[in-house]
Amino acid sequence: MSKFQVKKVAVLGAGVMGAQIAAHLVNVRVPVVLFDLAATKTPTLPAARGSLPPEGAGLALGRPGGETGPKNGIVTRAIDNLKKLKPAPLGDLADAALIEQANYDDDLAKLGECDLVIEAIAERMDWKLDLYKKIAPHVAKHAILASNTSGLSITKLSEAVPEALKPRFCGIHFFNPPRYMFLVELIATPTTEPAVLDQLETFVTSTLGKGVVRAKDTPNFIANRVGIAGMLATLKEVEKFGLTPDVADDLTGKKLGRASSGTFRTADVVGLDTMAHVVKTLQDNLSAETDPFYGNFATPPVLAKLLELGNLGQKTKAGFFKKVGRDILRFDLAKGDYVPSGDKADEVYGRMLKKPAAQRLKLLRESEGAQGRFLWAILRDSFHYAAVHLATIAESARDVDFAMRWGFGMKQGPFELWQEAGWAQVAKWIQADIDAGEALSSAPLPKWVFEGPVAEAGGVHTPEGSWSAAESRFVPQRRLPVHARQLFPESALGSNAPDADQAGTTIQDEGDVRLWTLDGEVLIASIHSKMHAISPDVAEALAAGVELAEREYKAMVIWSPDEMFSVGADLQAMLPAFVVAGVNAIDGAEQELQNTMLRIRYAGVPVVSAVRGMALGGGCELAVYSAKRVAAMESYIGLVEVGVGLVPGAGGLTYIARRAAENAEASTGSDLLPFLTEGFTAAAMAKVGTSALESKKLGYLLDGDVIVPNKDELLYVALQQAKAMADAGWRAPMRRLFKVAGRSGAATIKGQLVNMRDGGFISEHDFHIAGLIANVVTGGDVDAGSLVSEEYLMALERKAFCALVVHPKTQERIMGMLSTGKPLRN
C-alpha cells in the first residue's frame, strides 16, 4: 500500500469539540477546514425523526428562526470563542486565523481536498446518519471518514455510509480538551480495513501527539465505560458511607493517585450535562442482561437535581460546588441548597494511601472508619467492573489501564494497582465481598482471574504481553513503524519495559546528572535533581559532559525522562554558601553557572536541549544557550526570576540583548530598541510561553528549532537532530561583539516603567528589579551602539543579581517561595 499522508483535514461541526479538534490540528501545523451550517439558512424544524439538520445542534436548540449574517457566521463565532476558552485550545491565539471556514451549502467540494474527515456534530444518531448521506459523494476516494463520538455505535453509524466508503470509516474519540488530553480511542467496524486503522493510528500518534487505545464497539467504549461506571459507583458509595463531596474529593484525588480534582470537581469541570449524556448512553444501550452492574446506572438523585436547577458545573459556575467570592460551597441535596465546604479527609487515611500497594489495600479493607471502608469499596468496585467487562470492551488489560491513565488522569489503571497489591489475595477479597453481598453486583469474578495463565503469572501484565480475556492469552503491545520513534514509551506495570533511568550505557552518574549513551555516538545528559533544579554540582556535571562529548562523541543531548526539563537554579543549594561567605559566594556560584552556559554555547560538538514541560529560569537559560532546541508541544518556557525578587543571572539577560542585536542587524532598521522591547518585557514581567508555539513568539525557541507533538518521541527526534548537525559539519558560533542600546535605551525603558509604577500596575520593588533588568539588557552606562561581549553583560547580570540577594524585599520573596511554593508580591 502506498504511503498515507494527511495533508489536510476537514472537521464537520463547529461545536465545542469540533472547534477544539480544529484548533489542535493547527497547533501541529495540519491545514484544516471547519464546517458547519450556513448561517443564512432558515430551516423549518419538522417533527419527523431524522429530518433535523444534522450539523445544526446550535440551530435546533433555541434558534428556530435561524441565523442571519455572513454564511460562515457559526464557524466564525466558534473560532472567535477558541480565543476565550481556558485552558487555551490554541498554542498561539493568532493561529485561529489558520482555520479555514466552510459551510455545507457552498463548500462540500472542499471535502475532496482532504485526506481525513472528522465528523464531530452533536451526539444524535439520526443527525449523524443524515450528514453522512449528504457528504459521502464529496469525500475523496482515498480519505478516511471518522466519527468523533463518545459512545454511539460505530457499526450502526457505518450503515449509512456507502459501500465504497465503509472500509475507510471508523470511530475516533478525542477526550476534552483535545489539546491537553493524551487519550484518543479508535474504534473499528466489521468492515473497516485494518490498514486504515493503522494509518489513522500513525497520524494520531506522531502528528497529533496522542496515545492511542483501540476500543471495541461497545457503549461508551473503554475509558468512559469504566470511568463513568466508576464515578456512579463512587456516588453510591459516598451516599452509603455518609461522606460529603469535599471529603470524597480529598480522598479520591492525588492521595489515591488520581486527578487532583477528585470525583465531584472533575464532574463539574467536564460538565454535568455531559456526564448525564454519557450515563444515558449506558442506560439506553445496556441492560441487566448485558451488564450485571446495570442497576447502578440510574441517574443519581443529586445529579438529577442539579440538572433540574440548570447547575451544570464549571460552565454555569455552579454544580456540585459553587464559588461565592472567595468561599467554595458544596451542594447539599437534603437542603436543596449550597452549604459551606472545605472539609478534609482524616489524616490517617492519607498516611495509609502512602503505604506500598499490598499494605495499603489490606489496611483499607480492614478499616473500621467510614472513609477507609469507602476507599476500599470504590477500589474493589473498579477492579470488579474492569474484570467482568474486559473480554467485551478491550483487546487486552493494557488498553483498559492506559485508557484510565490517559483519559481519567490515574497514576495506575485498575489492573495495574490490583496486580501490584498481590493478584491472588486481592481477588479473594473481591470475591468474598461479592459473596457477602457487599459489592455493587453479584456477578462473580471471571474464571481466568483464579485459574490458568493469569493466576500463574500473578497478574494480567507480563513481559510476554497483557491478558486478552477474549482470546484467552497474553497479547503483545501493537508495534507500528511509528512506535519505533518512542524509545521509552509508557508501559504497563509488570511488562518489564526498558527504564530510561537504567537504559543504555552509563558513563558517569554524579552531581545529580547521569551521563549515558544509547548508541555510542551521542552523549545524553539527564538531570535527576529534585524538579531538575540546577545546583552548582549540576552545572559542573553538565560542563564535564560537554568535555566528554567533545572527546568521544558526535554530540550531546540534554534530556530527562519525566515531565519537566528544569525549574531553574537551586536557590536552596546556594543558601549555605551565602550564610557562610556572604554575597561573594553567590557571585562565584552565578559566574560558574554563566561559564557553564557559555561552555555549552561554544562547545566543539552540537548540544541539543530536549525540552518538555517546565523550562523556567535557569532551565530556560540552559535551553537558549544550547545549539538547538527540540521541544514538546506542551513546553512552558520563560525567565521567571522576578517572582522571587531576582533577575535572570545565568545568562538570560545577555541572551536577550544578543538576540536583539542579531535581529536588528538582520533588518533594515537602525534602531535597536524595538528589537529589545519584547525580550525585556518577557523577563521583567516573568512571562512564560504556555506552549512551544508561544515560547517561540517570546524568542525562547527559534525558527530552526523543532516542535514535537508527541512527548514520547522527543528523545528520538533530539538524537536525530544532534547527529544530523554533527554529520553536516556543525561548528560552534564565533565569539563576537554586538551592539547595545546604551544608557539612552535604558532611560526610555525606565520612563515607561515610571508610568506603570505610578499607575499602580507594579510595586516599588518590581520597579527597582525592572530597572536593573533594563540596565543589563541595554549594556549599562555606555553610549548607544557600543559594542560589548557576552562576558561584559554577564558581569552586569551578576552585579544586579547579587545586589538583589541582599535586598530585604527580595529575601521576603525568596523565603515566601521556599515556604509556600507561591510567589509573594511585595
Side-chain angles (χ1 to χ4, degrees):
M1 181 178 288
S2 60
K3 180 181 178 182
F4 179 76
Q5 291 181 293
V6 179
K7 298 177 182 176
K8 190 173 185 178
V9 176
V11 177
L12 311 181
V16 173
M17 281 301 291
Q20 291 197 66
I21 291 169
H24 188 60
L25 285 161
V26 299
N27 285 340
V28 296
R29 296 302 181 254
V30 175
V32 59
V33 53
L34 180 60
F35 280 81
D36 212 299
L37 283 173
T40 54
K41 187 174 181 179
T42 308
T44 56
L45 302 181
R49 181 183 182 277
S51 57
L52 288 173
E55 60 277 38
L59 279 175
L61 298 177
R63 294 203 300 272
E67 293 277 352
T68 59
K71 269 201 165 182
N72 289 330
I74 295 174
V75 176
T76 301
R77 281 191 297 278
I79 293 173
D80 288 343
N81 191 53
L82 290 172
K83 303 173 188 177
K84 305 171 187 175
L85 293 178
K86 298 293 181 183
L90 291 158
D92 179 355
L93 296 184
D95 286 347
L98 300 178
I99 301 175
E100 184 179 350
Q101 303 184 23
N103 66 79
Y104 299 115
D105 282 3
D106 304 327
D107 301 314
L108 287 179
K110 292 184 178 181
L111 293 174
E113 306 168 3
C114 299
D115 309 291
L116 172 62
V117 178
I118 299 173
E119 169 271 302
I121 67 169
E123 293 282 284
R124 281 278 299 269
M125 179 73 74
D126 51 344
W127 292 2
K128 289 178 184 284
L129 297 179
D130 281 352
L131 180 59
Y132 296 163
K133 293 174 185 176
K134 187 173 186 177
I135 66 168
H138 304 277
V139 176
K141 293 182 178 179
H142 71 284
I144 297 173
L145 173 61
S147 175
N148 180 67
T149 175
S150 61
L152 296 180
S153 170
I154 303 301
T155 301
K156 179 69 175 176
L157 289 172
S158 73
E159 293 173 4
V161 175
E163 288 298 321
L165 191 50
K166 286 183 189 292
R168 292 175 285 115
F169 177 79
C170 63
I172 184 170
H173 181 208
F174 289 87
F175 275 66
N176 191 21
R179 171 185 164 187
Y180 301 96
M181 294 301 288
F182 192 58
L183 176 64
V184 170
E185 293 174 319
L186 297 184
I187 310 97
T189 75
T191 56
T192 304
E193 281 187 7
V196 166
L197 227 57
D198 289 348
Q199 292 166 348
L200 188 55
E201 179 169 346
T202 296
F203 171 73
V204 170
T205 298
S206 196
T207 304
L208 299 189
K210 301 301 179 184
V212 171
V213 165
R214 295 198 187 181
K216 295 187 178 182
D217 189 14
T218 55
N220 288 346
F221 312 127
I222 298 175
N224 275 345
R225 177 71 174 274
V226 176
I228 295 300
M231 291 181 79
L232 290 172
T234 299
L235 265 62
K236 287 185 74 73
E237 302 291 6
V238 162
E239 182 180 3
K240 175 181 176 181
F241 290 102
L243 305 186
T244 57
D246 43 3
V247 171
D249 275 1
D250 190 35
L251 288 168
T252 60
K254 280 189 175 180
K255 291 177 181 176
L256 198 60
R258 298 183 178 181
S260 59
S261 50
T263 301
F264 292 90
R265 177 61 183 150
T266 294
D268 277 352
V269 171
V270 169
L272 303 191
D273 53 342
T274 301
M275 180 180 175
H277 167 77
V278 179
V279 171
K280 192 172 188 306
T281 302
L282 294 177
Q283 294 168 348
D284 292 348
N285 295 281
L286 294 171
S287 66
E289 288 71 35
T290 58
D291 192 322
F293 293 80
Y294 186 76
N296 302 294
F297 294 161
T299 303
V302 64
L303 178 59
K305 184 62 177 178
L306 288 168
L307 293 170
E308 177 189 327
L309 294 172
N311 295 355
L312 307 181
Q314 186 170 275
K315 68 182 75 174
T316 60
K317 300 184 179 179
F320 287 111
F321 295 100
K322 177 182 179 180
K323 188 173 183 180
V324 178
R326 295 187 176 182
D327 296 326
I328 303 294
L329 308 180
R330 62 174 174 82
F331 187 74
D332 186 306
L333 180 61
K335 295 183 179 180
D337 202 355
Y338 289 88
V339 300
S341 178
D343 289 342
K344 298 292 184 181
D346 292 341
E347 292 183 7
V348 65
Y349 299 108
R351 293 194 293 270
M352 281 186 189
L353 291 173
K354 292 179 181 179
K355 300 283 186 182
Q359 294 181 41
R360 185 190 326 155
L361 266 62
K362 184 176 188 294
L363 287 170
L364 292 175
R365 188 169 191 271
E366 295 174 352
S367 174
E368 296 182 0
Q371 294 178 21
R373 289 184 291 137
F374 160 76
L375 284 169
W376 162 251
I378 63 171
L379 291 173
R380 175 204 64 215
D381 296 342
S382 68
F383 301 154
H384 189 191
Y385 193 86
V388 167
H389 290 292
L390 176 59
T392 56
I393 66 174
E395 293 181 357
S396 76
R398 181 192 310 105
D399 296 320
V400 174
D401 282 343
F402 281 4
M404 298 312 295
R405 275 202 225 164
W406 300 340
F408 278 78
M410 293 185 176
K411 186 177 179 181
Q412 291 178 300
F415 288 117
E416 289 179 296
L417 177 56
W418 180 352
Q419 181 166 332
E420 184 184 9
W423 184 267
Q425 179 60 72
V426 174
K428 290 176 183 176
W429 288 339
I430 298 169
Q431 190 59 53
D433 282 8
I434 296 169
D435 295 341
E438 295 178 5
L440 293 181
S441 169
S442 60
L445 288 174
K447 287 185 178 180
W448 57 260
V449 170
F450 298 101
E451 303 172 1
V454 171
E456 294 167 7
V460 292
H461 301 302
T462 70
E464 180 185 350
S466 293
W467 182 251
S468 170
E471 299 181 28
S472 297
R473 67 184 182 94
F474 294 108
V475 296
Q477 190 165 356
R478 182 180 297 101
R479 297 295 293 176
L480 300 176
V482 69
H483 295 141
R485 296 167 59 88
Q486 300 180 8
L487 300 180
F488 301 101
E490 290 194 46
S491 59
L493 176 84
S495 63
N496 287 358
D499 182 349
D501 290 326
Q502 281 82 43
T505 302
T506 299
I507 311 301
Q508 178 181 311
D509 192 354
E510 57 187 49
D512 282 328
V513 176
R514 180 186 178 221
L515 300 177
W516 58 290
T517 184
L518 278 172
D519 56 10
E521 293 187 289
V522 178
L523 185 68
I524 303 170
S526 296
I527 304 172
H528 51 76
S529 57
K530 184 178 180 181
M531 300 185 76
H532 302 175
I534 303 172
S535 65
D537 285 347
V538 168
E540 184 179 347
L542 289 173
V546 172
E547 293 181 11
L548 178 61
E550 288 175 330
R551 291 197 308 268
E552 301 181 23
Y553 297 90
K554 281 185 174 183
M556 176 169 151
V557 167
I558 303 173
W559 172 85
S560 299
D562 48 15
E563 293 291 338
M564 67 177 63
F565 184 69
S566 171
V567 296
D570 189 343
L571 293 176
Q572 286 184 307
M574 295 184 183
L575 288 179
F578 176 62
V579 171
V580 173
V583 75
N584 288 336
I586 298 295
D587 183 87
E590 284 299 299
Q591 186 166 15
E592 286 303 313
L593 285 176
Q594 292 174 342
N595 290 340
T596 298
M597 300 304 169
L598 292 176
R599 187 73 182 87
I600 288 170
R601 172 166 164 75
Y602 295 107
V605 294
V607 178
V608 175
S609 279
V611 180
R612 171 185 171 193
M614 291 186 289
L616 306 178
C620 174
E621 290 164 321
L622 183 58
V624 299
Y625 275 85
S626 299
K628 194 166 194 172
R629 287 138 296 278
V630 175
M633 176 63 69
E634 297 308 321
S635 296
Y636 310 102
I637 307 175
L639 298 169
V640 297
E641 286 83 353
V642 169
V644 288
L646 295 169
V647 299
L653 299 184
T654 301
Y655 168 80
I656 288 170
R658 175 174 58 78
R659 285 294 301 160
E662 292 169 349
N663 290 335
E665 188 176 338
S667 75
T668 56
S670 58
D671 187 2
L672 180 58
L673 203 55
F675 297 93
L676 190 61
T677 301
E678 187 172 48
F680 163 79
T681 302
M685 302 299 290
K687 286 187 177 180
V688 175
T690 55
S691 69
L693 299 174
E694 192 172 65
S695 297
K696 181 176 283 190
K697 291 188 73 173
L698 293 175
Y700 300 133
L701 296 177
L702 306 180
D703 287 340
D705 294 334
V706 179
I707 297 176
V708 180
N710 194 311
K711 60 183 176 59
D712 292 328
E713 296 183 359
L714 187 64
L715 178 58
Y716 172 86
V717 175
L719 292 172
Q720 298 306 310
Q721 290 287 322
K723 285 189 273 193
M725 292 169 71
D727 290 342
W730 182 89
R731 301 285 297 179
M734 300 288 286
R735 292 177 181 266
R736 59 189 302 177
L737 304 179
F738 50 89
K739 292 181 180 179
V740 290
R743 66 179 71 86
S744 61
T748 301
I749 294 174
K750 289 177 182 178
Q752 297 170 347
L753 292 173
V754 168
N755 294 333
M756 295 181 69
R757 180 197 61 192
D758 294 348
F761 297 104
I762 59 175
S763 70
E764 186 65 40
H765 195 49
D766 290 329
F767 174 78
H768 176 60
I769 298 168
L772 293 175
I773 292 174
N775 282 336
V776 176
V777 298
T778 57
D781 189 16
V782 298
D783 294 335
S786 295
L787 294 173
V788 302
S789 67
E790 288 170 299
E791 289 81 0
Y792 167 81
L793 286 181
M794 285 182 169
L796 294 182
E797 275 189 31
R798 294 198 307 278
K799 183 178 179 181
F801 189 94
C802 291
L804 286 168
V805 165
V806 297
H807 196 293
K809 292 284 188 181
T810 286
Q811 292 179 353
E812 287 178 13
R813 291 192 183 187
I814 292 174
M815 295 312 297
M817 176 63 76
L818 292 177
S819 61
T820 69
K822 297 178 181 179
L824 170 70
R825 304 316 301 257
N826 55 1

